Amino acid sequence: MKKISIFSISIILLVILIYVFARPRPDIISVNLVSETNEITYSDSESVQIFEDAIRTVKKVRGSVDVGPPNYQMTVTYADSKVVEYSLYMDFKTKNGFLIKQSNSEKMLDLKDHNSEELADLLSKGNKE
């Protein structure tokens, strides 16, 4: 009887893990950035992939934050018509950045170094054009 219980719990946990890691994630179809001086929309697959990777791999920072105005207000539109808004903070000298989700404005989402560098490079190109 004990073996059946352990087996059942193991199967349930396995199904949950498969669901969490294998569930389809909605694709981003566009990212709109608005700064004090510029507005740009990214919808090409290469740029969208950079944003998608950056958002998917953020590290949540413990505690609350109180920061100044962001470099950009970012609106992310998903294929399932869901829209999520973020404040994007980017230091273009160090290529470090973080996001704050509008729906949870006290939590900072730190961008991983590699993603932050790619995003800073992409935004630098967009500002020159």
Side-chain angles (χ1 to χ4, degrees):
M1 189 69 169
K2 193 173 187 179
K3 289 182 181 181
I4 293 174
S5 297
I6 292 173
F7 180 74
S8 297
I9 292 171
S10 298
I11 293 296
I12 291 169
L13 288 175
L14 181 62
V15 168
I16 291 170
L17 283 173
I18 289 171
Y19 174 76
V20 167
F21 290 109
R23 71 177 174 211
R25 299 182 198 274
D27 292 328
I28 294 175
I29 56 172
S30 70
V31 176
N32 184 33
L33 296 172
V34 178
S35 70
E36 289 182 5
T37 59
N38 197 10
E39 180 173 354
I40 187 164
T41 299
Y42 295 94
S43 56
D44 63 285
S45 61
E46 185 178 325
S47 298
V48 166
Q49 189 63 50
I50 290 170
F51 283 101
E52 202 166 274
D53 291 344
I55 292 168
R56 190 182 73 249
T57 60
V58 293
K59 297 176 277 186
K60 293 178 184 174
V61 177
R62 290 184 183 203
S64 298
V65 294
D66 183 19
V67 293
N71 301 84
Y72 298 96
Q73 291 296 341
M74 184 168 87
T75 303
V76 179
T77 305
Y78 290 89
D80 64 359
S81 300
K82 181 178 177 185
V83 175
V84 180
E85 294 185 358
Y86 297 90
S87 295
L88 172 61
Y89 296 82
M90 182 63 65
D91 182 337
F92 289 98
K93 289 181 183 177
T94 62
K95 296 187 177 182
N96 288 324
F98 64 92
L99 300 172
I100 295 180
K101 198 172 188 177
Q102 294 298 332
S103 63
N104 190 359
S105 62
E106 292 184 0
K107 294 291 180 187
M108 185 170 94
L109 306 170
D110 194 25
L111 297 169
K112 289 192 174 181
D113 291 341
H114 173 73
N115 299 111
S116 188
E117 288 174 18
E118 283 187 334
L119 198 52
D121 292 341
L122 175 66
L123 297 175
S124 294
K125 281 189 232 173
N127 286 334
K128 291 177 184 174
E129 295 173 356

